Amino acid sequence: MKPKVLTGEHFINGDIACAEGAIAAGCTFFGAYPITPATEVAERMSERLPDVCGVFIQMEDEIAAMTSILGAAWTGVKTMTATSGPGFSLMMETVGLSVVTETPCVVVNVQRGGPSTGLPTMGAQADMMQAKWGSHGDYEIIAIAPSSPQEMFDLTIEAFNLSEKYRVPVFIMSDEVVGHMSEKVVIPEAKEIKTIARIKPRGRKDQFKPFQPEENGVPPMPAIGDGYNVHVTGLTHDEQGYPVMSVEAQKDMMGRLLSKIRDNLDDIIRTEEYLLDDADIVIVSYGVSARTAFTAVDMAREMGIRVGLLRLITVWPFPEEMIRDLSKRVKGFVTVEINMGQISREVQRCVGSNVPSYLVGHAGGTVITPDEVINLIKEVFMVTNHHCINK
Amino acid sequence: MAKANQKVHPLEELIRTERLPHIWCPGCGVGTVFSACLSAIQETGIDHKKFTMISGIGCSGRGAGYVKLDSFHTTHGRAIPFASGIKMANPSLNVIVFSGDGDLFAIGGNHFIHAARRNMDITVICINNFIYGMTGGQVAATTPHMDRSATTPYGNPETPFNLPLMAYASGATYVARWTMIHSRDLTDSFVEAINHRGFSFIEVLSPCPINYGRRNKIKSLNMLKMFADNTIIKNNADPAQLDIDFKKGIVLGKFVDIDKPTPDENYEKICAMRE
C-alpha cells in the first residue's frame, strides 16, 4: 500500500501527475469512462484509490461517469472524472446540473483534436469555449490550464480547493501533449499541501436552508444522512431548494450563481507574467502553448523586440480587467493556442479597438512552434502597421 | 402542522407538507405508489436518515420533491447513475430511485441495464403509465402496440418493452410487478426490495387518465378495473411470459429473488485482498 501523498521526485506523465494530485487533495471517488488521451488518469486512480479507502467505478458512459460523481459528492466526499472531447460533450448536461445544484467536483479534459472523433491521439486546445458555454443556460464555472506534468499535480489540488470553496465544477483543461508528456514532478510533504475542506452547516437542522449563502456567496453543504433532509433539484429553486417557476426566482438564483464567481475574481484568477513590464507586444497563452510562448518571448528579446507573456493559469473566469489594462499601454496582442480562434476572441473583446490583436492558431494535432509566433510578430508589428484582427 | 383536534396523517413525518398541493392530476396513480413507498420506508423501521430518494424527470420524477428525506431531482434518465454514485460512496445508505417508464427505460435505459448487471444495491421503483405524461402524452418505450398517443395519432407501430424480463436478463436480483391498486402487495414488495441485498426492481402499472386513458378511450375507473380484472398474480412466473397485453391478462407478482454479492461489498473485499 502506498501513502496518500507520494512525497519525492518522480518522472511521470501529466495524466498520472493529475491522478496523484487528486489523491493528495483528498479525492476519494472517481467515476470513469475510458477515452484517449485521458485513460491514464482513470487507470492510475483505479490503482491508487484503494490506498486511501476511496472508490473507483467505471461507468457505462461519460454521462453516467459525470452523474455518479455528483451523487457521490453529496455523500460528503471529493470526486473527480477525466475525459476528452467526445466524453466532455456527453458530460455537458450534467455539468449544468452540477452548477445549478452547486455540487463540487473536478472534471479533467485532456483535450484532443476535434470536432467529433477527430484526432484521438493528438493534442489540441479547442474545447476552451465548450468549457465555458457547453451546457445550456448562463452560468459561471472555473477552468484551469496546466502547462506541465508538475502543474497537472499542483493545479489538480488547486482545482479541488476552488471547487470546494465555491461549490462549482472546476475543469482542468489539459491536452494530449501535457497529459502524455513525462517530466520531473516534485511532490511535497503531505503537511505542505494545502487542502480546503467542505464547509458544513451549523445551527438548527429544521431551519436550515440549503441554498442560503454565507458571506462569500456560497452556502454550506451537508452530506446525505446528516439529518438536514435537503431537497436538491435541477429546476430553478429558492433558498430552501424547492422549485419555483417564476421570473423573480430565476433572477435571484442566477444572480447568486454568477456573483459567487464574479465577486471573487481576485481570489480565483491566477496568471503568470513573463517580461511584461516593458513589453510592447503581449503574448497571451495557456496550457502547452504557453511553453511555445516562453521560447518565443526569449527569441524575440534576442532580436531586440520587446515581447512579454501573460500566461493564463485560470482561463475561466477570464482575466478581463488585466488584459483591458494592458491594452492601454502596449502596442498589440498575440494569442497562441491550438485552435482556430477561441481565447483570442476573448482577448479581442477585452482589447477592443485600443490596439491590434492577432491569433497564432493551429487546427490541432501538433504544438505551435516558436518560429510561427516570431514570424507573425515580425510580419504584423515590425514590417506593416495594418489593423488585422484575428489573422 | 396538524391542529390539536386533527389526526396527524400517518406519513406526515415523511412528507414535505409545505410543498402541497402536489402536481399530480386527478385520477393519476403516482400518489398511491408514492404513499406505498413511504409506508414501506416506515415499515422497515430503519432510521429515516439512512434513506435517500433519487428521481429523474417526469411526473413520477417529482416524487423526490415531496419526500422529507435527503432527496434529489436529477436530469432526465440519470437517476440511476446518480444513485449508484451515492451507494458506492456511502454503502450504509438505503438508496431508492423513484421514477417513470420514459425516464428509466428510454433515455435512461442503458443506465438501468448496467446497474442491474452490477447488482448495484439500490431499489428502483418504476411507475409505468405507458406514456410520457408530463410532456402531454407522447408514445413511450412501454406504450402497447397500436395504442394512440400524441405522437402516434394513428396507433403505435412499435412493440413495448417487457420490463421485468429486461431487468432479469440484465442481472437484477429482485424483480416484481404490481399495479397501483394492489397497494398492500405493493407496500410489502417495497419493504422486501428495500431489505433486499442488491439491485431490486419493481414495476408498478399506474393510470394516466389525462394523457393515456383519454386518447385510448379508457375511462379512469375502467383502467383501475382492468388492473383488477385483467391481471393474475403468479409468483415466480417465467419473465419471458410477462408481456403487457390486457386482453391476454397481465401477470403480477414477484418473479426474481436471488441473493448475490453487491459491487460495494465486492469492491471492499478486493481492495482488502490486495498486497
Side-chain angles (χ1 to χ4, degrees):
Chain A
M1 258 177 58
K2 287 177 183 158
K4 179 174 160 187
V5 179
L6 299 185
T7 304
E9 286 186 7
H10 305 265
F11 186 68
I12 50 178
N13 74 26
D15 282 353
I16 289 171
C18 173
E20 286 305 328
I23 298 285
C27 173
T28 55
F29 187 96
F30 190 91
Y33 192 79
I35 187 166
T36 305
T39 308
E40 293 89 336
V41 182
E43 289 175 354
R44 183 70 163 200
M45 291 303 277
S46 73
E47 182 192 329
R48 285 283 278 139
L49 274 166
D51 291 337
V52 293
C53 296
V55 176
F56 175 93
I57 185 166
Q58 185 170 313
M59 297 300 284
E60 52 274 17
D61 56 32
E62 287 92 345
I63 299 171
M66 180 71 204
T67 312
S68 73
I69 69 169
L70 299 194
W74 277 95
T75 70
V77 302
K78 295 182 182 179
T79 69
M80 184 166 93
T81 188
T83 191
S84 189
F88 200 53
S89 294
L90 285 177
M91 289 177 180
M92 279 300 140
E93 188 195 17
T94 316
V95 165
L97 183 67
S98 169
V99 168
V100 87
T101 58
E102 301 182 67
T103 308
C105 61
V106 173
V107 179
V108 185
N109 180 356
V110 187
Q111 295 171 85
R112 66 193 220 185
S116 192
T117 312
L119 301 169
T121 60
M122 300 158 91
Q125 296 177 298
D127 306 344
M128 301 309 294
M129 280 296 172
Q130 185 183 21
K132 179 67 190 79
W133 299 112
S135 198
H136 54 282
D138 276 317
Y139 57 91
E140 289 284 356
I141 46 80
I142 297 172
I144 297 174
S147 288
S148 63
Q150 180 68 53
E151 281 198 339
M152 286 290 266
F153 178 84
D154 297 337
L155 295 181
T156 299
I157 296 169
E158 177 85 8
F160 274 98
N161 288 345
L162 288 167
S163 176
E164 293 296 332
K165 191 168 180 184
Y166 292 103
R167 286 186 62 179
V168 279
V170 176
F171 299 127
I172 297 172
M173 297 301 289
S174 183
D175 62 83
E176 187 274 335
V177 183
V178 171
H180 283 167
M181 166 199 297
S182 288
E183 279 185 341
K184 186 170 90 170
V185 173
V186 180
I187 299 182
E189 298 276 346
K191 61 177 188 310
E192 287 164 28
I193 294 174
K194 185 181 152 263
T195 60
I196 291 180
R198 195 169 297 175
I199 306 290
K200 289 260 198 163
R202 300 167 301 273
R204 283 183 58 174
K205 289 184 179 175
D206 58 341
Q207 289 175 359
F208 176 64
K209 291 187 173 176
F211 295 95
Q212 187 175 52
E214 296 204 326
E215 272 165 32
N216 66 346
V218 186
M221 181 173 169
I224 299 171
D226 283 353
Y228 287 90
N229 291 331
V230 294
H231 179 58
V232 177
T233 177
L235 288 166
T236 295
H237 47 266
D238 59 18
E239 290 187 339
Q240 193 61 55
Y242 291 169
V244 183
M245 300 298 102
S246 78
V247 175
E248 293 74 27
Q250 172 75 357
K251 190 178 160 213
D252 289 350
M253 185 192 76
M254 285 293 303
R256 191 175 61 71
L257 291 180
L258 300 182
S259 68
K260 74 176 178 181
I261 303 299
R262 292 180 183 174
D263 293 350
N264 290 297
L265 296 181
D266 290 345
D267 183 53
I268 296 168
I269 293 177
R270 281 182 59 193
T271 56
E272 181 184 2
E273 297 177 21
Y274 181 55
L275 303 180
L276 264 191
D277 286 347
D278 65 339
D280 290 327
I281 297 157
V282 178
I283 298 177
V284 177
S285 195
Y286 55 91
V288 69
S289 295
R291 298 168 76 111
T292 301
F294 273 110
T295 307
V297 169
D298 289 342
M299 286 166 71
R301 290 276 170 172
E302 268 173 39
M303 288 183 256
I305 313 168
R306 288 205 295 259
V307 177
L309 170 65
L310 176 66
R311 179 167 80 95
L312 310 180
I313 297 170
T314 316
V315 177
W316 305 115
F318 195 68
E320 289 190 30
E321 241 180 70
M322 199 170 196
I323 290 177
R324 203 165 283 135
D325 289 348
L326 276 171
S327 73
K328 290 169 191 157
R329 64 170 171 89
V330 301
K331 292 182 179 144
F333 286 81
V334 177
T335 303
V336 181
E337 55 182 346
I338 310 174
N339 60 53
M340 300 307 280
Q342 295 195 12
I343 296 305
S344 67
R345 289 169 184 247
E346 282 294 288
V347 173
Q348 176 58 47
R349 182 175 68 81
C350 300
V351 168
S353 57
N354 290 351
V355 286
S357 169
Y358 303 88
L359 163 71
V360 178
H362 190 288
T366 187
V367 293
I368 295 165
T369 63
D371 282 338
E372 291 170 71
V373 183
I374 293 295
N375 288 345
L376 178 115
I377 288 173
K378 283 204 285 198
E379 185 192 328
V380 300
F381 290 107
M382 302 301 124
V383 183
T384 64
N385 201 16
H386 61 266
H387 286 261
C388 167
I389 304 304
N390 275 342
K391 182 179 187 283
Chain B
M1 288 303 273
K3 288 181 188 139
N5 59 348
Q6 254 181 334
K7 261 189 145 179
V8 175
H9 190 279
L11 296 173
E12 180 161 311
E13 59 176 330
L14 274 168
I15 295 174
R16 297 181 190 273
T17 49
E18 68 274 28
R19 290 216 59 217
L20 299 176
H22 57 67
I23 61 149
W24 297 313
C25 304
C28 172
V30 176
T32 311
V33 186
F34 185 63
S35 297
C37 177
L38 302 192
S39 300
I41 288 171
Q42 273 188 343
E43 260 181 55
T44 62
I46 299 167
D47 182 0
H48 293 175
K49 280 200 292 197
K50 286 292 178 191
F51 281 97
T52 180
M53 187 183 281
I54 325 300
S55 289
I57 297 296
C59 297
S60 316
R62 291 302 183 98
Y66 300 120
V67 68
K68 204 195 274 179
L69 297 171
D70 289 316
S71 59
F72 298 85
H73 181 223
T74 64
T75 45
H76 197 18
R78 317 301 170 206
I80 288 178
F82 198 96
S84 301
I86 292 174
K87 184 66 194 184
M88 289 303 288
N90 185 352
S92 78
L93 296 169
N94 293 283
V95 183
I96 298 174
V97 170
F98 189 92
S99 218
D101 50 307
D103 185 75
L104 289 167
F105 287 100
I107 190 166
N110 196 36
H111 306 309
F112 181 90
I113 290 170
H114 285 273
R117 171 182 64 77
R118 295 181 178 110
N119 196 28
M120 187 62 69
D121 190 9
I122 60 177
T123 301
V124 176
I125 296 169
C126 172
I127 296 170
N128 180 2
N129 60 5
F130 316 108
I131 206 83
Y132 282 89
M134 184 163 277
T135 46
Q138 296 75 27
V139 70
T142 46
T143 307
H145 177 52
M146 287 315 289
D147 274 6
R148 287 168 195 252
S149 75
T151 47
T152 53
Y154 312 114
N156 177 15
E158 302 175 8
T159 46
F161 272 136
N162 169 348
L163 299 181
L165 174 61
M166 187 204 267
Y168 170 68
S170 306
T173 49
Y174 181 99
V175 180
R177 174 197 276 158
W178 296 101
T179 83
M180 50 71 75
I181 67 161
H182 296 81
S183 65
R184 192 62 252 174
D185 301 291
L186 193 55
T187 307
D188 292 346
S189 184
F190 288 163
V191 172
E192 273 190 5
I194 290 166
N195 288 325
H196 176 78
R197 165 171 94 144
F199 189 88
S200 47
F201 171 63
I202 305 108
E203 178 187 15
V204 191
L205 307 183
S206 179
C208 176
I210 306 291
N211 279 318
Y212 175 71
R214 192 167 46 94
R215 277 196 186 83
N216 292 289
K217 303 197 166 28
I218 309 170
K219 294 224 160 119
S220 301
L221 279 176
N222 289 348
M223 186 81 176
L224 303 188
K225 223 169 137 26
M226 274 162 65
F227 287 166
D229 298 344
N230 301 11
T231 54
I232 173 168
I233 297 171
K234 208 168 147 192
N235 289 322
N236 303 311
D238 175 4
Q241 305 300 317
L242 300 175
D243 291 315
I244 294 209
D245 183 343
F246 281 103
K247 288 179 200 103
K248 215 169 71 181
I250 293 169
V251 180
L252 309 177
K254 178 169 80 175
F255 312 119
V256 179
D257 192 352
I258 306 165
D259 187 42
K260 200 177 141 190
T262 62
D264 60 280
E265 292 170 337
N266 285 338
Y267 185 79
E268 206 180 316
K269 248 186 233 159
I270 291 165
C271 292
M273 265 159 42
R274 81 195 198 287
E275 283 172 22

